[in-house]
Amino acid sequence: MKIDINSGNAGGLRQKLQAIADGLRDMRPLWQAVGMYVQRQTIKERFDKEQSPGGQKWKPLAPATLKQRSARHKTGHARILQDTGELRRSITYEAEPNSVRVGTSLKYARTHQFGRGNIPARPFLGVNDEEKQHIISMLGAYIKKNVLGGG
């Protein structure tokens, strides 16, 4: 098989290559979709199931914490990392042309993510292998539709 590129068809090739480059320059719609997906997974898979991105259950609340919560809420149910719901509600994303950031601006979030002193680490940010594969599929679909024009 042989492909000839000459001055007669090089202009069309150049236009196609430019369209591909333009499509890759600002992929913000893809990163917004990825951000929304990771945000949803963080809430659904981490906070609802009280587990890390890798599926490990978070350490249970200390007896003293349970006692404090019982006195305040009187519901008998104390969800881990969800005393007020502020941390859960603070998970946001910010899409850029070539990336997305998912996280929270709450200062105490770092302590819960990594642990400190007598507070155990209870990771809630991050993606697992299954989520990574889904993001790769999203990327492939985006490129096929928006860069290569494969609808």
Side-chain angles (χ1 to χ4, degrees), residues 72-83:
R72 266 198 322 250
H73 298 295
K74 308 223 188 292
T75 61
H77 185 65
R79 305 275 301 167
I80 302 170
L81 297 187
Q82 298 179 70
D83 185 24

Side-chain angles (χ1 to χ4, degrees), residues 15-142:
Q15 287 176 334
K16 182 65 174 170
L17 290 173
Q18 185 62 51
I20 290 171
D22 291 344
L24 293 173
R25 191 165 289 121
D26 187 348
M27 299 190 328
R28 204 175 322 238
L30 166 70
W31 297 121
Q32 287 173 333
V34 169
M36 188 180 304
Y37 169 72
V38 173
Q39 178 189 44
R40 186 179 63 240
Q41 289 299 102
T42 300
I43 292 167
K44 182 177 134 198
E45 297 296 321
R46 310 309 178 257
F47 286 93
D48 287 355
K49 295 183 179 179
E50 298 184 338
Q51 65 184 19
S52 73
Q56 295 82 26
K57 290 301 254 176
W58 290 336
K59 299 261 189 244
L61 294 171
T65 303
L66 287 170
K67 187 176 178 180
Q68 285 176 338
R69 296 249 184 110
S70 299
R72 266 198 322 250
H73 298 295
K74 308 223 188 292
T75 61
H77 185 65
R79 305 275 301 167
I80 302 170
L81 297 187
Q82 298 179 70
D83 185 24
T84 65
E86 185 178 18
L87 180 59
R88 178 187 174 115
R89 287 189 305 272
S90 75
I91 305 301
T92 60
Y93 62 91
E94 183 178 335
E96 299 290 333
N98 293 301
S99 65
V100 64
R101 279 188 218 101
V102 179
T104 174
S105 62
L106 296 177
K107 293 186 187 309
Y108 64 83
R110 181 179 198 76
T111 299
H112 291 302
Q113 178 78 14
F114 299 108
R116 191 168 111 195
N118 63 348
I119 300 173
R122 294 182 177 111
F124 55 93
L125 293 174
V127 293
N128 61 35
D129 290 341
E130 185 178 318
E131 292 161 346
K132 286 177 189 174
Q133 289 304 311
H134 184 77
I135 293 167
I136 290 168
S137 295
M138 292 172 77
L139 175 61
Y142 176 87

